[in-house]
Amino acid sequence: MTDLHVHASPSLLPRHGTDPETVAAERAQGFGTVVLKAHEGSTVERAALAGEGVYGGIVLNRAVGGANPDAVEVAARLGGRMVWLPTVSSRNHKAAAAAPELVVHRGFELGLVEVVEDGRMRPEWYDVLDSVARHDLVLASGHLSVEETVVVFAEASRRGVRRLLVNHPMMAFLHWADPLGAVLAELGAHLELGILPDLLGAPDEGSLRLVDVYPHSLLVFGGDLGHAEHPAPADIVPQWMRSLEERAGAKDAAAITTRTTRQLLLE
């Protein structure tokens, strides 16, 4: 299986374990391919030290300069596969900082990074998109709202970005709406089915709801586990996987967590 969204230490937020410990915990649950993510910046160098099948990327928060195409270029040339748009630096995250699902981020703040203004992507991001396209990286939405993500992904598609990923779309502060989902599907954007939204939301408002409203061929897995206040993989992954099988069927559940997710990342 492949997990596109894993947090580990070192981090400015409390984590269950270090990179090696976290990768070992993921492998124990059947994940042969793991992507490390850090709100603080790049995980590319860390992934290179964490073993075969471990990949990293860069989160474009203020800590790395926001819209920084040089940072993307370096991450890509060192083997990175993911570029996340701003998370804790996004206007959407800051506006929702008091939301229950973001409580664990309190005490960790970075400066604002603007991405969308007056319904359009700000021009300083064009070079970032061009670098993502040139290296055929995955562009992930970070903590932009779903409405902002549609704006950015439409521009990214026009500029040749092939791999589009909406992070944990059912987190309440991202403001999912089915009509926007239809637009994302037309763009060929993948949605990240994650365990964390299902832990934090009502049963009918979590990631598994997307199985009923979005093409299964565009659903991938990213658990978003790792924070010390949330369950460790061994405590939650088996139960969640059973729920996915019940909702999507065993064949599609297997494809989502293996072939489809790996194709988005690497093939």
Side-chain angles (χ1 to χ4, degrees), residues 90-105:
S90 71
R91 179 171 292 280
N92 186 59
H93 179 105
K94 289 180 175 295
E101 63 267 32
L102 296 180
V103 166
V104 295
H105 295 90

Side-chain angles (χ1 to χ4, degrees), residues 187-209:
L187 291 170
H190 289 73
L191 303 188
E192 179 184 80
L193 297 184
I195 293 175
L196 193 56
D198 294 350
L199 289 174
L200 299 177
D204 293 331
E205 297 174 357
S207 290
L208 292 176
R209 175 183 176 275

Side-chain angles (χ1 to χ4, degrees), residues 1 23-32 232-239 241:
M1 296 190 295
V23 170
E26 289 273 311
R27 297 220 190 285
Q29 297 306 310
F31 293 102
D235 297 328
I236 192 63
V237 168
Q239 173 187 336
M241 289 296 178

Side-chain angles (χ1 to χ4, degrees), residues 17 55 65 83 85 109 113 128 167 169 173 178-179 203 210 254:
Y55 296 87
V83 174
L85 293 162
E109 296 183 5
V113 174
V128 168
N167 294 124
F173 80 103
D178 287 347
L210 297 170

Side-chain angles (χ1 to χ4, degrees), residues 236-261:
I236 192 63
V237 168
Q239 173 187 336
W240 189 89
M241 289 296 178
R242 285 193 294 272
S243 297
L244 175 61
E245 287 188 359
E246 291 171 0
R247 195 83 174 238
K251 182 178 179 180
D252 280 6
I256 288 166
T257 55
T258 57
R259 183 180 67 252
T260 305
T261 304

Side-chain angles (χ1 to χ4, degrees), residues 61-62 66 86 88-92 94 110-115:
N61 284 324
R62 177 63 71 83
V88 298
S89 284
S90 71
R91 179 171 292 280
N92 186 59
K94 289 180 175 295
L110 295 171
L112 175 66
V113 174
E114 298 278 19
V115 182

